[in-house]
Amino acid sequence: MDSTARFSNRVQDYIAYRPGYPEAILPFLGSAIGLGPSCVVADIGSGTGIWSKLLLQAGCRVYAVEPNAPMREAAEVLLAQFPLFHSIDGTAEATKLASASVDAITAAQAFHWFHPAKTRQEFGRILKPGGHLVLIWNDRRTDSTPFLRDYEVLLKELGTDYEQVNHRNIDEGRLSAIFGPSGYREQVFPNAQRFDWEGLYGRAMSSSYVPAEGDPRHPDFARALRACYERHALEGFVQFEYDTRVYYGRLD
């Protein structure tokens, strides 16, 4: 499936059940790269605006670049109250932003969908001299609890293309290629979500590699997910644990 269309039928689950980002990231980036009020930021692959909202709350002017129309339109509704929010129908490889127009570029839970070489060229074009790139992922832990181990097995066995599109396929080589000779630094923050059955089901359905309702593979996945929940729920809840990874540096 075209990566720009993968989430079109998952927008409401994405809004309701995807994890946010730890609030500590913003003051950290303020100290590390000077991110804060008056900064102009291009948030690439901005989706429904989960990360864009934090940038706006920090006082940044945000150009949210998102190619998927349903996700972009959802963000336009959710973030309409922020006068510094600008919604752009564009891609990482063709943002439609002016040259040397932004102080920083961010991509939260999105860089693994981008074409590396074309993206680096476009990012270099729109960044002001000395500007920074920040890549963020909520990296779900896969083996820290029995529930998370079973959930990972479920995705591998009954997901559609989980191992092909998993963001963990981004390795040091690909990160080094986008940041260039000056390299990058990494900071990790803990994050978590606690779900009842409805929340767990919605969280699973927000993922593009899970068979959607209407897919003939969906009933088997839903039954296995329910069984996983029943095995591991404590007082009706299971927990997702994340390492929120922040990679940052200048683009050479």
Side-chain angles (χ1 to χ4, degrees), residues 140-248:
R140 175 175 42 80
R141 296 176 186 172
T142 60
D143 61 0
S144 58
T145 68
F147 162 68
L148 291 175
R149 286 194 288 273
D150 276 7
Y151 187 75
E152 180 73 1
V153 170
L154 174 61
L155 295 179
K156 289 180 177 179
E157 292 183 348
L158 296 177
T160 55
D161 55 355
Y162 173 62
E163 296 197 77
Q164 288 77 24
V165 303
N166 193 335
H167 71 260
R168 296 184 190 89
N169 294 334
I170 298 293
D171 58 14
E172 183 178 347
R174 192 165 176 187
L175 289 170
S176 296
I178 189 69
F179 280 102
S182 292
Y184 61 90
R185 302 183 71 178
E186 178 184 3
Q187 187 74 18
V188 181
F189 300 83
N191 201 4
Q193 290 177 293
R194 190 167 178 257
F195 291 124
D196 59 9
W197 163 246
E198 180 182 358
L200 174 62
Y201 179 81
R203 174 64 180 86
M205 290 303 106
S206 76
S207 299
S208 68
Y209 43 72
V210 167
E213 294 180 2
D215 186 311
R217 297 165 291 187
H218 175 80
D220 287 342
F221 182 91
R223 282 192 292 269
L225 182 66
R226 181 73 195 200
C228 181
Y229 168 81
E230 296 289 351
R231 283 195 301 274
H232 297 293
L234 297 176
E235 299 181 350
F237 290 90
V238 293
Q239 180 159 299
F240 277 24
E241 300 174 347
Y242 304 92
D243 294 309
T244 302
R245 301 186 182 278
V246 179
Y247 302 93
Y248 63 99

Side-chain angles (χ1 to χ4, degrees), residues 57-154:
Q57 290 173 335
C60 299
R61 181 177 296 277
V62 178
Y63 291 89
V65 178
E66 172 56 50
N68 183 282
M71 298 190 86
R72 187 177 63 254
E73 290 161 4
E76 289 167 358
V77 172
L78 294 169
L79 303 178
Q81 74 272 32
F82 292 98
L84 297 180
F85 170 70
H86 306 273
S87 181
I88 308 293
D89 178 6
T91 66
E93 301 82 8
T95 63
K96 301 181 181 176
L97 298 177
S99 297
S101 61
V102 300
D103 300 300
I105 296 171
T106 64
Q109 217 71 25
F111 177 71
H112 52 293
W113 300 113
F114 303 166
H115 184 286
K118 293 179 181 178
T119 295
R120 177 172 166 78
Q121 182 177 14
E122 178 70 349
F123 284 6
R125 184 186 69 81
I126 66 174
L127 263 180
K128 295 177 183 178
H132 289 84
L133 171 62
V134 180
L135 305 178
I136 304 170
W137 282 277
N138 277 316
D139 188 7
R140 175 175 42 80
R141 296 176 186 172
T142 60
D143 61 0
S144 58
T145 68
F147 162 68
L148 291 175
R149 286 194 288 273
D150 276 7
Y151 187 75
E152 180 73 1
V153 170
L154 174 61

Side-chain angles (χ1 to χ4, degrees), residues 19-27 29 35-37 41 43 48-62 79 82 85 106 108 136 138 191 244:
Y21 299 95
E23 292 184 0
I25 294 178
L26 270 300
L29 290 175
L35 188 71
V41 182
D43 185 22
T48 60
I50 297 172
W51 172 246
S52 293
K53 184 176 182 178
L54 290 181
L55 293 170
L56 291 162
Q57 290 173 335
C60 299
R61 181 177 296 277
V62 178
L79 303 178
F82 292 98
F85 170 70
T106 64
I136 304 170
N138 277 316
N191 201 4
T244 302

